[in-house]
Amino acid sequence: MKKRILHIITRSDWAGGQKVLYTIVYGLKKNYSDKFEVEVAAGRENGMLFEELDKIGVKYHVVENLVREIDPIKDLKAYFEIKRLIKQGNYDIVHAHSSKAGFLARIAAKKCGVKKVIYTYHGFWGIEQYRGFKKQLLIWAERFAARYSDHLVFLCNREKEKAERYRIGKPSKYVIIPNAILPIGNIQKGKLRRELGIPENVKIVGNVARLDRPKNPVRFLQVAERVVQEMDDVIFVWIGGSIVEDFYAKQVQQYLDERPWLKEKVKILGFRKDAIELMADFDVFLLTSDEEGFGLVILEAMSLGKIVVSTRCGGPEDIIEDKINGFLTGFDYKEIATKINFILENFESIKQKIGQAAVERAKDFKIDNQVEGYVRLYKKG
């Protein structure tokens, strides 16, 4: 008899956590449909995840009151919605993602007698963005929810070490399963250059990320400003918009408004579903994050043979070998700008050395390995 699995996440948009959930579900549907019957639940916000699930024939459920913001009334309603869904679905396994859904679903699942409850951490920014009492309260909430978990999954060693430091759950429950990306087809270059009118002799330094605090878009702008003051034949492109709040989008706009000359050298495109096609035109991929649980977009860039430069922000350090298949830097924008200048000045020789090594490294993170890791957990007694 097939085991029934419910994956649940707070929002139904198309960010990193949702892509990870989708990749796992895609792999289960493709290779393990004889062993598992998988369904997904999420809040209504955005809905792009639901569109992708429709395409592969995976059933999903809308949890009407499940929202990212803390709202005691909605949160209580969401808890009972989730509990009702789990009872009706008679699931053998509940696999939760993201803080809010992870907290509510783990408790609801155990209260409903679900035999196996799994939670995947997609980073600790939800806790670490705060200080003082609020941070301690969130750590306590994670400790409490961990009691209702059979397995706690981390994307990299650094995240596991944080859980140990915060005393979240028992180490015997810890598992590391790195992310993976779906195979990328034969993508033709030129789409981004045509759209923005960028000639071939101009290098493109780009990022694909949300405009929010952990991604630090202002640092990206600071690097761009410093680089273009020394080099004329380069354009910086940020692909991604605000998903949760507009504060950082406004901050980016203010930064550019105060430096109108920089608008010719920096392009902010907003969210694009065709981001990977546009990324094909990047010469350098630049990640300026403060914190990354893993960084799926780094794997996508490496699989395209891009020169990746990333801050030492967590997950990327488990992917990139500095100066072998990419570059790791500190958080100071001046240091990053110096690195970008060096790469652009020596582009052809660095591209030849780093590009193929990046492609080979990306192959280590196969979807089959990721899904098999979760299947082992699902089958575990």
Side-chain angles (χ1 to χ4, degrees):
M1 181 181 289
K2 294 182 184 180
K3 287 187 176 181
R4 286 179 51 75
I5 304 173
L6 177 69
H7 279 260
I8 182 164
I9 195 165
T10 305
R11 291 172 59 94
S12 57
D13 49 34
W14 193 240
Q18 288 76 14
K19 289 181 180 180
V20 173
L21 181 156
Y22 176 85
T23 303
I24 298 167
V25 169
Y26 175 92
L28 292 172
K29 180 83 172 175
K30 181 181 178 183
N31 298 320
Y32 297 93
S33 59
D34 59 328
K35 294 180 175 63
F36 303 106
E37 186 177 344
V38 61
E39 298 177 1
V40 174
R44 185 176 291 281
E45 290 177 278
N46 193 289
M48 294 185 69
L49 172 63
F50 296 147
E51 294 173 14
E52 298 304 318
L53 293 171
D54 263 335
K55 294 175 185 177
I56 59 173
V58 170
K59 184 178 179 179
Y60 61 82
H61 307 270
V62 178
V63 184
E64 294 290 350
N65 289 286
L66 186 54
V67 296
R68 180 181 180 273
E69 297 75 20
I70 295 174
D71 183 323
I73 295 174
K74 282 193 171 185
D75 295 345
L76 187 61
K77 288 181 178 179
Y79 171 77
F80 286 112
E81 279 188 80
I82 293 166
K83 197 171 181 181
R84 185 165 58 251
L85 172 62
I86 291 171
K87 282 182 177 178
Q88 291 172 347
N90 194 28
Y91 300 104
D92 301 289
I93 300 165
V94 169
H95 187 163
H97 309 253
S98 73
S99 301
K100 177 74 75 69
F103 184 84
L104 298 176
R106 282 184 279 173
I107 297 170
K110 282 301 180 184
K111 294 293 184 182
C112 291
V114 175
K115 295 176 182 177
K116 184 164 293 185
V117 178
I118 298 169
Y119 180 57
T120 295
Y121 284 88
H122 297 277
F124 279 91
W125 184 255
I127 290 174
E128 292 176 337
Q129 63 181 308
Y130 301 109
R131 294 289 180 269
F133 176 74
K134 192 166 186 178
K135 181 176 180 179
Q136 289 304 313
L137 183 63
L138 292 171
I139 291 171
W140 176 86
E142 283 297 334
R143 289 174 184 166
F144 182 78
R147 300 175 188 175
Y148 296 84
S149 314
D150 295 293
H151 302 289
L152 301 172
V153 181
F154 306 96
L155 309 181
C156 63
N157 280 304
R158 181 166 160 178
E159 299 300 297
K160 178 178 76 70
E161 291 167 0
K162 287 182 180 180
E164 291 172 339
R165 189 165 69 247
Y166 293 139
R167 302 195 308 280
I168 295 172
K170 298 177 181 178
S172 59
K173 295 181 179 181
Y174 293 177
V175 183
I176 296 176
I177 303 178
N179 282 341
I181 55 173
L182 295 172
I184 296 173
N186 185 24
I187 296 174
Q188 299 299 313
K189 297 175 69 174
K191 187 173 184 177
L192 179 63
R193 288 186 181 274
R194 286 193 299 272
E195 182 174 322
L196 297 181
I198 302 173
E200 289 292 332
N201 66 314
V202 173
K203 294 290 186 286
I204 300 175
V205 178
N207 190 10
V208 178
R210 304 185 308 275
L211 287 173
D212 67 12
R213 190 185 303 177
K215 307 299 182 181
N216 206 322
V218 171
R219 181 181 289 131
F220 183 88
L221 297 177
Q222 290 172 323
V223 173
E225 181 178 4
R226 194 169 179 88
V227 170
V228 301
Q229 285 174 342
E230 298 185 28
M231 306 185 74
D232 187 54
D233 54 348
V234 58
I235 295 284
F236 283 72
V237 178
W238 182 291
I239 302 171
S242 301
I243 292 178
V244 177
E245 56 182 332
D246 292 331
F247 176 81
Y248 294 97
K250 292 174 181 176
Q251 203 174 42
V252 166
Q253 189 59 53
Q254 181 181 344
Y255 193 99
L256 293 173
D257 287 344
E258 291 172 356
R259 301 162 180 81
W261 60 271
L262 194 57
K263 293 180 181 180
E264 295 298 314
K265 293 292 187 178
V266 177
K267 306 297 180 183
I268 310 293
L269 299 191
F271 177 83
R272 295 284 293 264
K273 285 201 77 172
D274 60 348
I276 196 161
E277 297 175 51
L278 303 178
M279 200 195 306
D281 281 342
F282 289 1
D283 295 291
V284 177
F285 181 90
L286 172 60
L287 192 80
T288 55
S289 298
D290 291 328
E291 182 72 28
E292 286 285 344
F294 187 80
L296 279 177
V297 72
I298 285 181
L299 284 184
E300 292 173 340
M302 293 176 81
S303 70
L304 293 171
K306 304 305 171 185
I307 300 172
V308 175
V309 179
S310 172
T311 49
R312 296 182 184 274
C313 56
E317 293 157 64
D318 280 7
I319 305 171
I320 297 170
E321 295 176 83
D322 190 32
K323 302 182 182 68
I324 302 297
N325 49 40
F327 295 91
L328 294 168
T329 76
F331 296 101
D332 181 67
Y333 74 91
K334 296 175 185 177
E335 176 192 345
I336 301 169
T338 299
K339 182 75 69 177
I340 296 295
N341 279 333
F342 173 78
I343 291 169
L344 295 178
E345 288 168 358
N346 301 275
F347 185 77
E348 292 305 325
S349 60
I350 292 175
K351 171 71 173 175
Q352 188 174 5
K353 175 187 174 185
I354 299 293
Q356 188 55 43
V359 171
E360 293 304 313
R361 179 58 174 156
K363 291 177 182 177
D364 293 339
F365 297 88
K366 297 177 181 176
I367 180 176
D368 290 348
N369 294 340
Q370 180 195 26
V371 175
E372 284 170 13
Y374 282 108
V375 167
R376 285 193 292 272
L377 291 187
Y378 297 158
K379 289 181 175 179
K380 206 168 181 179

